[in-house]
Amino acid sequence: MHPLRKPLLLKHFLLLAVIFAFTPATFSQSKAKVKISAPAKGLNPVIENKITALLAKMTIDEKVGQLNQYSSDKVVTGPITNSGNKLQDVKDGKIGSLLNVRGVDYTRQWQDAAMQSRLKIPLLFGLDVIHGYRTTFPIPLAEAASWDLDAIQLSARIAAEEASASGIHWTFAPMVDLARDPRWGRVMEGAGEDPFLGSAIARARVIGFQGKGLGNTDAVMACVKHFAAYGAAIGGRDYNSVDMSLRNLWEFYLPPFKAAAEAGAATFMNSFNDLNGTPASASKYLQTDILKSKWGFKGFVVSDWGSIREMVAHGYAKDTYEAADQAIHAGNDMDMEGRAYNNNLAKLVKDGKVSMAIVDEAVRRVLRKKYELGLFDDPYKFSNAEREKQTLNKQSFIDAERDVARKSIVLLKNQNQLLPLDKNKTVALIGPLVKSEADMKGFWSVDWEGKDHSVTLFEGMEAAGAKVNYAKGCDVSDTSRAGFAEAVKTAMKADVVVMAVGETAIMSGEAKSRSDITLPGVQEELIKAIQATGKPVVVLIMAGRPLVFNWTADHVPAIVYTWWLGNEAGNAIADVLYGKYNPSGKLPMTFPQSVGQVPIYYNYLNTGRPSKDDAFSKYSSGYLDITKRPKYAFGYGLSYTKFEYSDLKLSKNDIRKAEEITVSFTIKNTGKYAGEEVAQLYLQDAVSQPVRPVKELKGFKKLMLQPGESKTVSFVIDKDKLSFYNNDLQWITQPGKFNVFIGSASDDIRLQKSFNLLD
Ligand code: BGC
């Protein structure tokens, strides 16, 4: 480009921006005269101008069309209401977006139809790309166990590169719902129970999906969901009501959403639940007051599948006419598979219940993203067959898949250093999941026809050179012990037994709540039978949620929690079992001893009668039949090596509000393997009104140490880390004593000091 061209273009652009900013545009509609205000801060005036011009040409039906999203019939992820002739609807401009579509050829057909519509407004194609597209990564909860933000961002990046090469513009991820109840099947899709870890992961995922920003061919729009508090469904029952104080909402449940919005997430999805009596789709408080106003979100909000229509079943709206009225006024821009907008919105405008300005604002938000993606310049931008062929399942992606998978594995127990295994020993592989392929992928994986690239445990162990025998023993949900005898025989022939038990992929996920979260069927009986042989036993638990397996935890010498690791599961597990990779995962969710302890989480408030963690004490806040301890605490996870923490220093003993304090300490690898440790910083505001949790995660660092190596770790504590919401929802700090805990897990605090925050 000529050196003079650049400043000239910039000047033109600025001039335009200024003119536009001070010239409120007006245009006439047949029914209403609408005044468009100047574009808000952070918006591109050129795009806003184009939208204004386009809106002026649109009929009310075309506008409603942009707010209407249908699912294709190919993949269905919820109850379809009425299939109709969708292709014709697209040609008639009655659909703005399709979900559950993928593939260059298929999306191209739909876009062709959109190009036959009067205004040729391109369609948006969305899909639940939750943990990978062609390359299948671990389920999100497993990835969260890696506490490795680079790995998590990379997994989202690869998912976006593949999805965007396959015609997709938009993924319905990340799910950032905080969850304290493992009965809820959707815990598999989130990052666990902690707002600090959850916020960091939300950011990493949004950045991963959106890459260098919308408009790049390899960026897909993120959709942050489910706004809000969906994870707090009463009783862990999916879609159930949520009743919580606003302070609880702001303090625990909203931070990951805020972090995702700040990271530039293009879209948000609301949720199925009601929050304190108002269905989220009808919540002006959430969608307009918090998201669009307070947080300045410029993207659009899509409903969850049919959630506008479902306000009728909630008993919140008399019919879908009323539901659509409530949703659009609350700030719900697009209607996913609900047909509430396309059946009612035009009439609502005609009846004078909804102003054209409100409809225009929602349409503007949707069109803005279509412009930002570059679809108006080239509707087929993401539909390049050659790119699709080149991109899907590249070797470098498969390598990343294996690496992220092994980073997600959590070592729960390793008595007498049974692991890593000696390659010369013969291994009996026993259990219903040893040869399972489909289950390795976990819920919310994208289906591919034919034999997929995916490595079972059996294949992974064989590829690692293990000498293996196999017996299934039972199915996951079996009630029969018929296969036990053969399994015992197989175990007897081997030096060591590796068992693969857990859940099938469809036992966790949407609408997959379970009241009993023990190992299903007779799997724990099978473990007992094998343990009785006297052979050393390693149990691998493959599941989409924290399970309860007390007998196994108390009797079996080695336990590895593998979750659902994706296509490279078998290789990743073999890497860990043979010590090619030293496990470094830490639990992102508390594991209860009993479902009766649920909800259970580490950052609880003390009571006036706190019980000891590990004892029954009279007149204290515990249970008669069980201690209040979890089985495995938040942040827990072992390594093949040992880490020693020492030398905690605080840069000051007292600080003033505007000051920072630096916490530093040393970690030494005192074992014989190189390994990674996740050092965790927890804070406690010792005396406060309202009361504060017993500890809160406020920092973590994952670091690699060679045997004998020491490293100094430091964290900076600033005002933000000491602040909290009071009952008036003000973000405040209170002077007084703060405890600093440094640990290897929330219940394994190695170092502790305090400082005072001065007035
Ligand atoms: C789920 C969403 C999902 C949508 C589309 C809904 O049932 O709650 O998380 O994105 O379906 O598949």
Side-chain angles (χ1 to χ4, degrees), residues 406-470:
R406 53 197 201 170
K407 285 178 167 151
S408 305
I409 293 172
V410 185
L411 177 64
L412 293 181
K413 189 175 178 187
N414 193 19
Q415 217 169 289
N416 304 325
Q417 276 77 56
L418 175 55
L419 291 173
L421 298 176
D422 177 345
K423 271 246 170 96
N424 297 315
K425 301 226 161 122
T426 53
V427 183
L429 291 174
I430 294 176
L433 296 168
V434 172
K435 289 194 171 177
S436 166
E437 191 183 306
D439 296 313
M440 293 292 142
K441 295 174 185 295
F443 199 81
W444 282 128
S445 57
V446 177
D447 276 339
W448 295 92
E449 285 121 36
K451 165 85 181 148
D452 200 0
H453 154 80
S454 79
V455 185
T456 64
L457 173 66
F458 188 87
E459 291 162 343
M461 291 295 279
E462 275 199 320
K467 296 170 210 146
V468 291
N469 294 312
Y470 163 71

Side-chain angles (χ1 to χ4, degrees), residues 76-79 99-100 127-128 130 172-173 175 186 189 225-226 230 239 269-270 272 303-305 336 444 510:
V76 168
T77 47
L99 79 147
N100 290 331
L127 187 77
D128 291 285
I130 307 293
F172 303 119
M175 183 186 110
R186 293 199 87 164
E189 208 182 330
K225 66 191 192 183
H226 304 86
Y230 181 42
Y239 315 130
M269 184 187 293
N270 59 35
F272 289 123
S303 76
D304 202 346
W305 182 294
M336 179 193 286
W444 282 128
E510 185 177 349

Side-chain angles (χ1 to χ4, degrees), residues 438-728:
D439 296 313
M440 293 292 142
K441 295 174 185 295
F443 199 81
W444 282 128
S445 57
V446 177
D447 276 339
W448 295 92
E449 285 121 36
K451 165 85 181 148
D452 200 0
H453 154 80
S454 79
V455 185
T456 64
L457 173 66
F458 188 87
E459 291 162 343
M461 291 295 279
E462 275 199 320
K467 296 170 210 146
V468 291
N469 294 312
Y470 163 71
K472 193 172 191 184
C474 61
D475 275 321
V476 167
S477 304
D478 251 355
T479 47
S480 156
R481 293 169 175 74
F484 282 23
E486 199 211 324
V488 166
K489 229 190 317 164
T490 307
M492 291 304 289
K493 284 192 277 188
D495 298 320
V496 57
V497 185
V498 172
M499 300 189 67
V501 297
E503 294 184 310
T504 61
I506 52 162
M507 286 180 167
S508 59
E510 185 177 349
K512 304 286 180 290
S513 294
R514 291 177 59 207
S515 65
D516 174 1
I517 53 167
T518 55
L519 276 170
V522 290
Q523 293 183 96
E524 202 154 41
E525 298 303 311
L526 178 66
I527 296 171
K528 286 180 191 170
I530 300 300
Q531 173 76 4
T533 63
K535 296 284 176 181
V537 178
V538 179
V539 169
L540 310 176
I541 301 180
M542 303 169 167
R545 55 155 65 79
L547 291 177
V548 172
F549 43 93
N550 291 333
W551 190 92
T552 303
D554 296 342
H555 295 87
V556 168
I559 303 170
V560 183
Y561 219 79
T562 72
W563 320 95
W564 293 118
L565 290 176
N567 281 346
E568 278 288 313
N571 287 332
I573 296 170
D575 285 347
V576 163
L577 294 182
Y578 285 116
K580 195 166 162 193
Y581 181 79
N582 185 354
S584 62
K586 303 272 188 181
L587 298 177
M589 251 187 112
T590 304
F591 277 44
Q593 300 180 56
S594 149
V595 80
Q597 292 176 310
V598 169
I600 184 167
Y601 46 97
Y602 83 94
N603 45 4
Y604 57 88
L605 304 183
N606 246 337
T607 67
R609 293 186 175 188
S611 70
K612 297 243 166 50
D613 264 1
D614 47 7
F616 306 92
S617 41
K618 263 193 173 173
Y619 303 116
S620 74
S621 174
Y623 300 97
L624 276 182
D625 54 342
I626 200 172
T627 66
K628 81 164 200 270
R629 272 190 78 78
K631 196 70 190 174
Y632 299 106
F634 172 82
Y636 172 80
L638 301 173
S639 162
Y640 294 153
T641 192
K642 290 258 169 289
F643 299 101
E644 198 180 270
Y645 286 65
S646 64
D647 212 15
L648 175 60
K649 291 193 191 96
L650 305 187
S651 60
K652 294 169 190 147
N653 292 329
D654 301 325
I655 58 163
R656 297 201 175 274
K657 276 184 190 164
E659 291 175 343
E660 294 177 346
I661 187 164
T662 303
V663 174
S664 61
F665 56 95
T666 304
I667 302 188
K668 183 172 184 193
N669 180 347
T670 56
K672 53 183 194 313
Y673 297 95
E676 290 154 288
E677 169 70 329
V678 181
Q680 300 158 40
L681 163 76
Y682 296 90
L683 293 179
Q684 181 192 23
D685 189 342
V687 178
S688 158
Q689 300 88 36
V691 289
R692 309 289 309 137
V694 291
K695 55 175 85 82
E696 294 174 272
L697 183 75
K698 290 292 176 180
F700 62 89
K701 275 192 186 146
K702 187 163 189 171
L703 51 149
M704 167 59 104
L705 291 161
Q706 298 303 317
E709 192 186 5
S710 296
K711 276 187 184 160
T712 302
V713 180
S714 56
F715 294 108
V716 174
I717 301 175
D718 57 13
K719 188 175 167 216
D720 207 47
K721 289 200 159 77
L722 306 177
S723 303
F724 63 95
Y725 288 101
N726 66 10
N727 283 324
D728 298 323

